């Protein structure tokens, strides 16, 4: 597989961590932050198939990608709350009601899982 041959730093024992880190770093780039869960989900399901942890099946690839996308979004949401977020500027976090925070978390979690699932689906058609 050509992509796996070019990404030689991703090995069998670290593909979960490397998929997370690459998705996290891409998610930090301003303007294209939504690509973080997509890239993370893509890489996680691609290397899961490549190393034989899951069968080359649409459902399994989508599930793996959705899990990674949701994890990446949760980490991004927590860091956004701690440091900075366009929705919640620093210092105003306590003036927003809890239901708004819960709503933002759930909606973002769903969007992160959808984007990760799309990345997992695309991983089937790369090679």
């Amino acid at each position: 597989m050509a992509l796996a041959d070019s990404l030689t730093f991703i090995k069998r024992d670290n593909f979960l961590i490397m998929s997370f880190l690459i998705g996290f770093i891409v998610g930090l780039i301003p303007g294209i932050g939504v690509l973080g869960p997509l890239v993370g989900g893509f890489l996680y399901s691609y290397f899961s198939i490549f190393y034989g942890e899951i069968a080359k099946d649409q459902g399994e690839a989508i599930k793996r990608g959705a899990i990674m996308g949701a994890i990446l979004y949760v980490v991004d949401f927590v860091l956004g709350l701690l440091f900075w977020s366009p929705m919640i500027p620093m210092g105003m976090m306590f003036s927003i009601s809890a239901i708004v925070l819960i709503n933002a978390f759930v909606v973002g979690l769903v969007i992160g899982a959808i984007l990760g699932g799309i990345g997992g689906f695309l991983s089937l058609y790369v090679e």
Side-chain angles (χ1 to χ4, degrees):
M1 297 174 88
L3 180 63
D5 292 337
S6 64
L7 297 175
T8 56
F9 60 92
I10 299 179
K11 306 269 191 265
R12 176 181 279 280
D13 56 343
N14 72 351
F15 76 92
L16 171 66
I17 296 167
M18 292 305 290
S19 300
F20 175 79
L21 286 176
I22 292 171
F24 180 71
I25 291 169
V26 169
L28 289 178
I29 299 171
I32 61 169
V34 295
L35 288 178
L38 188 77
V39 170
F42 171 81
L43 288 175
Y44 185 49
S45 60
Y46 178 81
F47 283 103
S48 293
I49 292 169
F50 178 72
Y51 289 122
E53 285 197 4
I54 60 172
K56 191 169 182 174
D57 178 38
Q58 286 181 350
E60 289 296 319
I62 290 171
K63 281 193 281 186
R64 285 280 174 124
I67 290 169
M68 180 58 73
I71 291 170
L72 280 167
Y73 179 77
V74 167
V75 170
D76 184 41
F77 184 80
V78 169
L79 288 178
L81 283 179
L82 292 177
F83 296 113
W84 181 85
S85 175
M87 186 186 86
I88 306 167
M90 189 176 282
M92 294 186 65
M93 183 171 72
F94 298 110
S95 66
I96 296 176
S97 68
I99 194 73
V100 173
L101 290 175
I102 293 169
N103 184 34
F105 178 78
V106 171
V107 167
L109 189 64
V110 169
I111 290 172
I114 289 171
L115 288 172
I118 291 170
F121 179 73
L122 292 176
S123 70
L124 291 172
Y125 300 106
V126 169
E127 300 293 331

